[in-house]
Amino acid sequence: MFQTGDFVVYGCMGIHKVLGTTTLDIEGVSKEKLYYMMQPFGKPEGTVYAPVDSKTVNLRPIMTKDETTNFLKDLDGIKILDIKNDKQREDAYKSCIRSCDPYELARVIKTLYHRQAERNKNGKKLTLTDHHYLSQAEAILYEELSIVLDVPMDEVPQHMDSHLKSTIV
């Protein structure tokens, strides 16, 4: 169970700070069911509720500094998604992002950097779909790294780019 003040990754919704637990006074919802009350990172006016005991809600603690150091070292070994079919590739992007796993988020980013480089060679830009998933994966992963590394959000992309783009062929 998460504690008040913990930062968590909440599915594809991004980073949230746990404000506490509560029950909901909503018709049709059990008064016994416990929910995390969370605030989206960087949005002090928002509040989100997620069931404490849900098996379907993907909620995990943010990485520790040690886990982040290992993650950054492992970036070179993360394989790209080599899927030629657009629909299957999009499904893979969705699955990776829904997983909340930093390695899967990096896989999407790395794949899309690779696609971007390939498309640029042919005088093309990323598709809107590709751009959407790249933005989503970067937002979630970069927020997490910003918090863990205690660096401003706008410094994370340059840091990650040096690790990810060095592996693009």
Side-chain angles (χ1 to χ4, degrees):
M1 190 158 160
F2 299 109
Q3 303 300 311
T4 299
D6 286 351
F7 283 99
V8 296
V9 180
Y10 178 39
C12 55
M13 305 281 286
I15 308 300
H16 288 65
K17 183 177 184 178
V18 176
L19 302 175
T21 56
T22 189
T23 57
L24 299 179
D25 188 17
I26 299 174
E27 189 175 326
V29 175
S30 169
K31 305 282 189 241
E32 307 298 315
K33 190 170 177 105
L34 201 56
Y35 289 82
Y36 289 114
M37 186 171 51
M38 303 181 299
Q39 179 181 52
F41 183 70
K43 297 178 184 167
E45 70 284 348
T47 304
V48 174
Y49 299 90
V52 169
D53 62 354
S54 177
K55 302 281 188 256
T56 59
V57 173
N58 203 345
L59 198 62
R60 70 163 173 84
I62 63 171
M63 292 183 280
T64 65
K65 284 200 186 257
D66 286 342
E67 289 169 334
T68 300
T69 299
N70 290 333
F71 168 76
L72 293 172
K73 287 178 184 175
D74 292 344
L75 283 177
D76 280 341
I78 295 173
K79 303 282 188 228
I80 65 169
L81 297 164
D82 190 21
I83 303 169
K84 302 299 182 213
N85 178 284
D86 290 342
K87 178 66 175 136
Q88 290 174 344
R89 189 174 48 254
E90 183 178 356
D91 289 344
Y93 294 158
K94 286 179 188 177
S95 177
C96 289
I97 290 170
R98 274 192 224 119
S99 77
C100 292
D101 183 285
Y103 288 87
E104 294 301 308
L105 293 169
R107 182 181 320 281
V108 170
I109 295 167
K110 197 169 174 178
T111 298
L112 287 165
Y113 280 173
H114 185 269
R115 266 183 66 76
Q116 186 172 37
E118 288 295 314
R119 290 181 67 83
N120 284 345
K121 283 183 200 174
N122 297 320
K124 297 180 180 180
K125 295 182 179 184
L126 276 181
T127 66
L128 287 175
T129 300
D130 285 344
H131 184 67
H132 166 76
Y133 289 110
L134 177 60
S135 296
Q136 193 174 15
E138 285 177 334
I140 297 166
L141 184 59
Y142 292 2
E143 272 184 349
E144 181 173 10
L145 293 174
S146 173
I147 294 167
V148 177
L149 298 173
D150 194 27
V151 298
M153 182 77 164
D154 62 350
E155 290 181 18
V156 175
Q158 295 86 1
H159 185 71
M160 288 297 297
D161 286 353
S162 66
H163 289 284
L164 290 170
K165 287 188 177 169
S166 68
T167 64
I168 304 303
V169 178

